[in-house]
Amino acid sequence: MQKRYLLTPGPTQVPPEVLLRMSQPMVHHRSPEFSRLFAEVQAGLQRLFQTDQDVLILAASGTGAMEAAVFNTCSAGESVLVVNGGKFGQRWLEICRAAGLAAVEIRVEWGQAVAVETVARALEQHPEVRAVLVQASETSTTVLHPVQALARLTRHTDRLLIVDAITALGATAIPMDGWGIDILVTGSQKALMLPPGLAFVALSPKAWQRATAASLPRFYFDLRRERQAQHKHTTAYTPAVSLIAGLHEVLRLLQDEGLPQVYARHAHLARATRAAAQALGLRLLAPEHPSPAATGVWLPPEVDGGQLLNAMRTHMGVDIAGGQDQLSGKIVRISHIGYAGPFDVMTAISALEMALVAFGCDIELGRGVRAAQEVLLTGWPELKPVSGTGSAGTGR
Ligand SMILES: *Cc1c(COP(=O)(O)O)cnc(C)c1O
């Protein structure tokens, strides 16, 4: 037997309480029992999205909600502006092209966040643009884009801001109504600590207006029909019942921890991971605008990242992520999103150090671990003996 450690930015680890909840007997999705559960889940999702709008639940991976966002609010031939700073920005572009939209592409160097002025200028030059599409957290480059500032550009205009927050929502605050985001999308297998299979999408009143006039074809992902059903606390088609039961438990866990604490935990783990990489002399992929979901780290050029990750998985049971497309083999991405704590960071850093040494790199074992420990320790100010309760009295 080999113990496995899943430390990738999706799928992520699932808490035991959630696994147990998902193993309960099936209930029918047109029953009062399911509708009660569904209504509570809907309310919990609104708190997470910080919106008064409906958060629709789809049976799909995250990309399903991305597709639904575009096909429900755009019409053939319309212009959109896509921020393309990585694999998932590229996906927005591909969806828009599949929909027959004219996309103005803003290419962003991988590892950088989009400059708000660049988007502002492009919008001035292209008055025909009807929507701006962006990632909140670009998982492939571990960058956080400035969504709040982008929302200021679109908020009081006819344009929509469509945000893929699949590795941001639940890791950092994204107040949909407060910032004026028009469409906010997420998925189950990242910060929401569930298996893959659920996607979520919420639309502002402006986006719903657009949905009425939009002419692109849609059937399974017709959000108007989905909204009608979800107002009756069920879904238009058979939902992923067990995942929704698990989600009920996830929302309870998040509520118990408190969302501000959930966000602080992610920031803290991300800080510790960055400190470790820097102490090892490894360059960060996104030093300026790092995501709280995962940390991308450049490998020494002599190391083949594919082989390194393979060796870590095979011999250590530790799964961290590599680079995609042009970053393939050159970086690793250490996840700290979802059901993650300090010792997930310690595991990842410690395993990475050992693997790098085994691959012949000139790094000192324990340097990264120590730097991470120093940051993580600041998260436990209460970790000291409490006066009056010594070891006496433990009964041993
Ligand atoms: C994971 C992810 C997606 C969705 O991918 P699926 O495989 O369809 O779930 C989209 N955008 C970002 C930023 C992601 O991290």
Side-chain angles (χ1 to χ4, degrees):
M1 192 217 63
Q2 184 184 50
K3 187 158 179 182
R4 304 293 304 266
Y5 302 85
L6 182 63
L7 302 169
T8 57
T12 62
Q13 299 174 63
V14 180
E17 300 92 319
V18 178
L19 289 171
L20 279 171
R21 186 66 186 274
M22 290 188 303
S23 68
Q24 287 182 3
M26 195 51 49
V27 296
H28 198 274
H29 58 288
R30 312 282 184 223
S31 68
E33 192 184 351
F34 179 77
S35 286
R36 265 196 306 278
L37 176 86
F38 199 77
E40 288 180 16
V41 164
Q42 288 173 308
L45 287 171
Q46 285 179 317
R47 285 193 288 275
L48 184 69
F49 277 59
Q50 298 183 57
T51 184
D52 294 332
Q53 303 303 314
D54 302 299
V55 180
L56 303 178
I57 306 177
L58 308 171
S61 85
T63 305
M66 294 172 74
E67 174 168 330
V70 171
F71 277 75
N72 278 274
T73 55
C74 299
S75 299
E78 273 180 5
S79 288
V80 294
L81 184 148
V82 176
V83 174
N84 179 4
K87 182 94 185 158
F88 293 105
Q90 183 68 32
R91 186 164 304 173
W92 271 141
L93 204 58
E94 286 164 15
I95 293 171
C96 290
R97 290 192 174 139
L101 305 178
V104 176
E105 179 185 3
I106 296 196
R107 272 177 187 267
V108 181
E109 197 188 325
W110 286 34
Q112 302 285 320
V114 70
V116 180
E117 315 77 72
T118 309
V119 177
R121 215 174 313 122
L123 288 176
E124 274 168 30
Q125 284 166 359
H126 296 278
E128 72 281 12
V129 162
R130 303 270 285 152
V132 175
L133 296 93
V134 67
Q135 272 57 44
S137 160
E138 173 52 80
T139 319
S140 63
T141 63
T142 66
V143 159
L144 208 54
H145 285 304
V147 168
Q148 184 177 13
L150 295 178
R152 288 196 199 102
L153 301 178
T154 54
R155 188 167 194 169
H156 301 292
T157 72
D158 290 336
R159 291 172 167 139
L160 300 181
L161 179 63
I162 305 182
V163 178
D164 163 6
I166 297 182
T167 51
L169 205 81
T172 187
I174 311 268
M176 174 170 166
D177 293 356
W179 286 359
I181 295 168
D182 292 298
I183 307 188
L184 192 57
V185 167
T186 196
S188 55
Q189 80 274 24
K190 313 277 170 90
L192 294 185
M193 308 184 275
L194 286 164
L198 292 181
F200 308 88
V201 57
L203 278 68
S204 70
K206 189 163 86 179
W208 278 118
Q209 252 174 19
R210 201 71 83 75
T212 322
S215 70
L216 287 173
R218 51 207 193 266
F219 182 80
Y220 182 67
F221 289 136
D222 188 336
L223 297 180
R224 295 163 300 181
R225 185 192 286 232
E226 203 54 66
R227 179 160 73 156
Q228 273 178 11
Q230 299 200 13
H231 278 170
K232 296 181 204 141
H233 307 306
T234 190
T235 51
Y237 310 103
T238 311
V241 173
S242 303
L243 290 174
I244 290 171
L247 176 59
H248 188 269
E249 187 63 22
V250 163
L251 291 167
R252 191 187 65 73
L253 291 173
L254 292 175
Q255 204 63 33
D256 281 0
E257 185 177 354
L259 289 176
Q261 175 52 34
V262 171
Y263 305 145
R265 171 166 55 85
H266 281 86
H268 185 56
L269 300 181
R271 228 171 8 248
T273 308
R274 292 195 295 271
Q278 286 171 314
L280 288 169
L282 302 174
R283 270 191 315 128
L284 297 172
L285 175 62
E288 285 158 34
H289 304 281
S291 169
T295 299
V297 176
W298 288 102
L299 292 169
E302 68 273 19
V303 174
D304 176 330
Q307 286 191 6
L308 185 87
L309 292 185
N310 217 350
M312 287 176 71
R313 180 183 304 121
T314 309
H315 302 293
M316 302 170 127
V318 175
D319 251 304
I320 59 175
Q324 294 162 295
D325 294 349
Q326 73 244 43
L327 294 178
S328 175
K330 297 183 180 154
I331 62 155
V332 293
R333 290 173 300 146
I334 297 168
S335 167
H336 26 72
I337 187 172
Y339 186 51
F343 293 98
D344 292 298
V345 171
M346 298 309 299
T347 299
I349 297 299
S350 162
L352 180 62
E353 284 183 354
M354 288 189 273
L356 286 172
V357 167
F359 272 60
C361 295
D362 181 24
I363 64 150
E364 190 188 325
L365 281 179
R367 257 190 112 99
V369 164
R370 185 194 172 106
Q373 283 174 322
E374 281 168 357
V375 172
L376 293 171
L377 200 48
T378 64
W380 283 307
E382 70 280 26
L383 187 71
K384 49 173 98 87
V386 177
S387 56
T389 62
S391 56
T394 57
R396 288 221 241 159

